[in-house]
Amino acid sequence: MADEMEKSAPAEESLLEKIAEKIHDHDSSSSSDSDNEKMESPMAVKDKIYRLFGREKPVHKVFGGGKPADVLLWRDKKLSAAVLGTATAIWVLFELVEYHLLSLVCHILILALSVLFLWSNAHSFINKSPPQIPEIHLHEEHFLLVASALRNEVNQAFTVLRDIALGRDLKKFLMVVAGLWVISVVGSWCHFLTLIYICFVLLHTVPVLYEKHEDKVDPMAEKAFVELKKQYGVLDEKVLSKIPIGPLKAKLG
């Protein structure tokens, strides 16, 4: 009987040891899971970093991700410099030299036709073949695609303007009025071509600078957006909410 008790005691001890090991393994796995959750939480927070204008794609994808995006973000420096240099030359030609577009087009056509005409008639004297001028045909579908895209954009703009005019979105109304006022003020400072050139230069400089320093710009933009939202809330509470537009909305509805 004593021998049986001695044999059962080690068996019970080994069983208790196995149970304790399982409990220890479960505790360690649960602690490791909690540690992993703690490690993952900063990564989840990092993924929710504020981006300017709420974008979720890289800057290159925002601009379409094609050749125009490469030009605007200076992926191809030679091509970007050539495009910006051409725009600068056009601006200098029309604004500083005060050359006219119609005169420029006519002079270019005169020069090109003169060179081709003389080359075609003098090829037998200079022992060179006459220039091969390809036939140019403009396809109808290309114009239809451009017209369709332009029509969609114009219709969408008319829809937004109609909603604003009917008083359905006061915030959008204030934003459009402020934007038009800023454009009118800037337009009084310079000519239309100069304004287009300034916008063109900004498109070739601001995006690439933002892409290089977006980690610094985004937090500052977030603070500015929060402050602007706070100021708009104060304006809405003290002024905009007191404007009687409820009856007008009821009639329109």
Side-chain angles (χ1 to χ4, degrees):
M1 189 68 179
D3 294 335
E4 291 178 357
M5 293 292 291
E6 290 177 357
K7 290 179 181 179
S8 61
E12 291 177 356
E13 290 178 358
S14 61
L15 181 61
L16 291 174
E17 289 177 357
K18 290 180 179 180
I19 294 172
E21 288 178 358
K22 289 182 178 180
I23 293 173
H24 179 70
D25 293 338
H26 182 268
D27 293 338
S28 62
S29 63
S30 62
S31 62
S32 62
D33 292 339
S34 62
D35 292 338
N36 290 332
E37 291 177 356
K38 291 180 181 179
M39 291 294 291
E40 289 175 359
S41 58
M43 295 298 294
V45 172
K46 187 176 180 181
D47 292 337
K48 296 180 180 179
I49 293 177
Y50 174 85
R51 293 299 180 188
L52 195 61
F53 303 119
R55 66 178 179 86
E56 297 179 357
K57 299 178 181 178
V59 181
H60 190 265
K61 292 293 183 181
V62 172
F63 284 100
K67 200 67 177 178
D70 293 339
V71 173
L72 292 175
L73 298 176
W74 292 78
R75 295 288 194 271
D76 189 345
K77 294 183 178 181
K78 292 183 178 179
L79 182 59
S80 300
V83 171
L84 188 58
T86 302
T88 303
I90 293 173
W91 177 75
V92 169
L93 192 65
F94 289 115
E95 283 295 323
L96 299 184
V97 183
E98 296 183 353
Y99 208 65
H100 298 287
L101 178 62
L102 186 60
S103 300
L104 177 64
V105 172
C106 292
H107 291 166
I108 291 175
L109 289 176
I110 290 172
L111 179 62
L113 290 175
S114 300
V115 171
L116 293 175
F117 180 81
L118 293 175
W119 191 359
S120 299
N121 287 278
H123 67 278
S124 58
F125 297 101
I126 59 178
N127 297 322
K128 288 187 178 181
S129 60
Q132 300 296 324
I133 303 175
E135 294 185 2
I136 300 175
H137 297 284
L138 299 178
H139 298 284
E140 183 180 0
E141 57 269 17
H142 295 163
F143 284 94
L144 293 177
L145 289 174
V146 174
S148 177
L150 183 61
R151 179 181 63 85
N152 293 334
E153 295 296 330
V154 172
N155 287 336
Q156 187 176 0
F158 281 150
T159 302
V160 173
L161 292 176
R162 182 177 181 275
D163 292 338
I164 293 172
L166 292 176
R168 295 177 181 175
D169 194 337
L170 183 59
K171 183 179 179 181
K172 190 177 291 184
F173 167 74
L174 294 175
M175 291 175 61
V176 170
V177 170
L180 291 174
W181 180 78
V182 170
I183 292 174
S184 66
V185 172
V186 174
S188 64
W189 294 344
C190 56
H191 295 153
F192 181 66
L193 183 60
T194 302
L195 182 60
I196 293 178
Y197 175 69
I198 291 173
C199 294
F200 192 82
V201 172
L202 290 177
L203 279 174
H204 279 77
T205 53
V206 174
V208 66
L209 292 176
Y210 168 72
E211 188 182 34
K212 290 182 179 179
H213 306 285
E214 59 180 340
D215 294 334
K216 297 179 181 178
V217 174
D218 287 338
M220 297 174 62
E222 183 180 13
K223 293 178 181 178
F225 179 75
V226 170
E227 184 63 26
L228 185 63
K229 193 174 181 181
K230 187 188 300 182
Q231 296 298 327
Y232 176 79
V234 174
L235 179 65
D236 183 46
E237 181 181 357
K238 294 183 178 180
V239 179
L240 302 181
S241 60
K242 298 180 181 180
I243 299 176
I245 60 175
L248 179 61
K249 285 187 176 180
K251 290 180 182 179
L252 292 173

